[in-house]
Amino acid sequence: MKLRNVFFASSAIAALASAASATDLEFYFPVAVGGAAADTIQALTEEYMAKNADVNIEAIYTGSYADTTTKAITAVRGGNAPQLIISLSTDMFTFIDEDMIVAWDDFVTEEEQNEWIGGFYPAFMANSQTEGKTWGIPFQRSTPVLYWNKEAFAAAGLNPEEGPSNWAEMVEMGKALTVKDDAGNVTQWGVHIPSSGFPSWLWTGIVAGNGGGTLADDTGTEVSFNSDAAVGALEALVNLSATDEVMAPGILDWGGTPKAFFDGQAAMIWTTTGNLTNVRTNAPFDFGVGFLPGLQQNGAPTGGGNFYLLKGSSDEELQAAADFVKWVTAPEQAAKWTIATGYVAPRPDVWDTDTMKAYTADFPQALVARDQLEYAVPELSTFEGPKVTQLLNSALESAITGQTEPQAALDGAQAAAEAILKPYY
């Protein structure tokens, strides 16, 4: 009996010692408390801790991406930074400028440099690397895609199994899909491209589809807002309401876009593939998913969030955080995340798992965003990113609301952005 008591006492001491020596980590996760994304990341975190008893991880839900960025900057300046955050891929230059992140290269082996970091889709790494270093690891990444209501297509005499393959087809289908009541009021618009908050993201896809390439160079110091392709893209966007009459005029709400689709107010919408699970769950009709229709060619921006390692912790803590990210981005874990949220699995090997093969066999719409990566361009990312992006967003909103002609709006944004970025040339 005494031996039994000694055994339990020794076990308790060992457990306490293990807990005392555990590495405690925090990471900021950009969602409000609750929801599928939070539930999934919490489940993955708990699964990792169960397999790694020497690590404690607290996921702190920090609201929007903007909230997360602000809180992370404040925490670093205050000397109480978490080890890990998920924030926008476009925040990379801001974080470098703030001297608040460390490169992942210092926490991977040569083999991991080639096989792990080298295993992500190049389109996602374009907003994750600069000057030969890796600053972000893709996780909840996305591209915008086109969704269409198959029932509305059938009612308009269109083939419900085929969405538009280019801009001209989208306009023509949009005319057939725009429905008016006896009083002449539109009850269903043909297409809905949201423009509130950050219109530059979807407009980047229109520019790319007009042969315009990227809006900024890979050093984050030069932009091309007023190229011929960019001006033509903005003119085409404005014309959807002004002359084509297939889209509601004015600024269209980003957050309300899925609901406008569900409620039959719009037959086609542009929104993130991150809404894919939401649409699958809540759309009261069959729907299709396709590439963004281009003016001249296929094109779309990448978007979404990366993992970043923040300064202010020990190398041991940062290595533990890096090891967690290696695990959570591995194929089986990444597959769980993709299925739960609709974000694009950021590595080809995720799509090769039996889990993802079964999922896409049942739900082939999930393959569209992956296949569109072949034509994807980086999202706008520069030094002084929030200021530069807001300049562009304001110019786009001015043109969309008819206050300024597209050429003049973009010329103004280009000049103002060049003035901001001049110190970084």
Side-chain angles (χ1 to χ4, degrees):
M1 195 67 171
K2 289 181 180 179
L3 287 175
R4 186 168 180 267
N5 290 339
V6 169
F7 171 79
F8 281 119
S10 300
S11 298
I13 292 170
L16 287 171
S18 176
S21 63
T23 302
D24 294 322
L25 304 177
E26 290 183 342
F27 86 89
Y28 288 177
F29 183 61
V31 294
V33 176
D39 292 345
T40 304
I41 203 69
Q42 187 64 43
L44 288 169
T45 301
E46 290 175 359
E47 181 181 348
Y48 183 78
M49 289 190 293
K51 296 178 178 179
N52 298 270
D54 57 339
V55 178
N56 295 320
I57 305 173
E58 181 182 4
I60 300 171
Y61 305 116
T62 45
S64 68
Y65 279 122
D67 293 337
T68 301
T69 299
T70 299
K71 290 173 182 177
I73 291 173
T74 300
V76 170
R77 290 175 178 174
N80 59 343
Q83 290 76 29
L84 192 66
I85 64 170
I86 295 175
S87 194
L88 286 172
S89 62
T90 54
D91 286 330
M92 178 178 68
F93 289 111
T94 296
F95 292 158
I96 292 172
D97 199 28
E98 288 279 343
D99 192 28
M100 60 183 282
I101 56 175
V102 296
W104 288 85
D105 310 77
D106 298 334
F107 298 94
V108 297
T109 65
E110 184 175 347
E111 181 180 1
E112 289 169 337
Q113 182 76 251
N114 295 327
E115 296 186 6
W116 182 54
I117 290 180
F120 291 92
Y121 283 110
F124 289 141
M125 296 310 293
N127 275 131
S128 306
Q129 296 173 316
T130 189
E131 297 184 351
K133 291 187 176 182
T134 300
W135 300 96
I137 295 296
F139 185 59
Q140 54 185 58
R141 297 303 301 271
S142 62
T143 69
V145 292
L146 173 86
Y147 297 78
W148 74 87
N149 180 336
K150 291 186 177 182
E151 290 183 6
F153 267 55
L158 302 171
N159 182 351
E161 302 305 319
E162 293 186 10
S165 60
N166 56 52
W167 190 274
E169 286 186 6
M170 182 182 73
V171 172
E172 288 307 305
M173 290 179 175
K175 291 177 179 178
L177 291 161
T178 299
V179 178
K180 297 182 179 180
D181 61 20
D182 293 339
N185 300 310
V186 175
T187 57
Q188 175 182 276
W189 289 101
V191 64
H192 177 116
I193 300 177
S195 48
S196 69
F198 43 95
S200 57
W201 190 50
L202 294 180
W203 179 71
T204 300
I206 306 175
V207 176
N210 201 28
T214 61
L215 295 178
D217 71 349
D218 59 6
T219 69
T221 62
E222 296 184 25
V223 297
S224 53
F225 293 164
N226 61 346
S227 66
D228 289 344
V231 173
L234 184 52
E235 289 173 344
L237 178 61
V238 170
N239 285 341
L240 289 177
S241 300
T243 60
D244 301 325
E245 298 182 341
V246 297
M247 188 167 75
I251 301 300
L252 304 185
D253 182 50
W254 170 269
T257 297
K259 189 174 188 303
F261 190 52
F262 303 154
D263 292 347
Q265 297 170 11
M268 295 182 286
I269 61 170
W270 288 33
T271 190
T272 173
T273 187
N275 267 322
L276 188 58
T277 299
N278 176 28
V279 174
R280 187 185 192 190
T281 302
N282 295 299
F285 45 74
D286 289 336
F287 66 94
V289 180
F291 288 4
L292 297 186
L295 285 156
Q296 297 184 33
Q297 62 188 39
N298 293 322
T302 60
N306 283 348
F307 279 111
Y308 295 96
L309 289 171
L310 298 191
K311 290 187 174 182
S313 296
S314 68
D315 286 347
E316 178 187 13
E317 290 169 331
L318 293 177
Q319 185 65 64
D323 291 343
F324 167 68
V325 174
K326 294 169 193 175
W327 178 84
V328 83
T329 57
E332 284 302 331
Q333 289 76 249
K336 293 177 184 178
W337 172 252
T338 294
I339 292 169
T341 62
Y343 284 105
V344 185
R347 302 171 55 88
D349 55 8
V350 181
W351 299 92
D352 291 334
T353 63
D354 291 340
T355 302
M356 285 298 289
K357 287 179 179 178
Y359 172 62
T360 56
D362 178 60
F363 188 47
Q365 293 96 323
L367 294 168
V368 173
R370 180 203 67 179
D371 295 343
Q372 191 175 229
L373 289 175
E374 180 181 348
Y375 310 102
V377 299
E379 187 176 0
L380 173 63
S381 180
T382 67
F383 285 100
E384 301 286 352
K387 292 181 182 178
V388 172
T389 302
Q390 186 53 52
L391 281 172
L392 179 57
N393 286 338
S394 296
L396 297 177
E397 291 170 356
S398 180
I400 290 168
T401 55
Q403 300 175 61
T404 313
E405 290 298 314
Q407 180 77 63
L410 294 176
D411 284 345
Q414 179 72 26
E418 287 177 355
I420 291 174
L421 292 172
K422 187 174 181 179
Y424 295 93
Y425 288 170

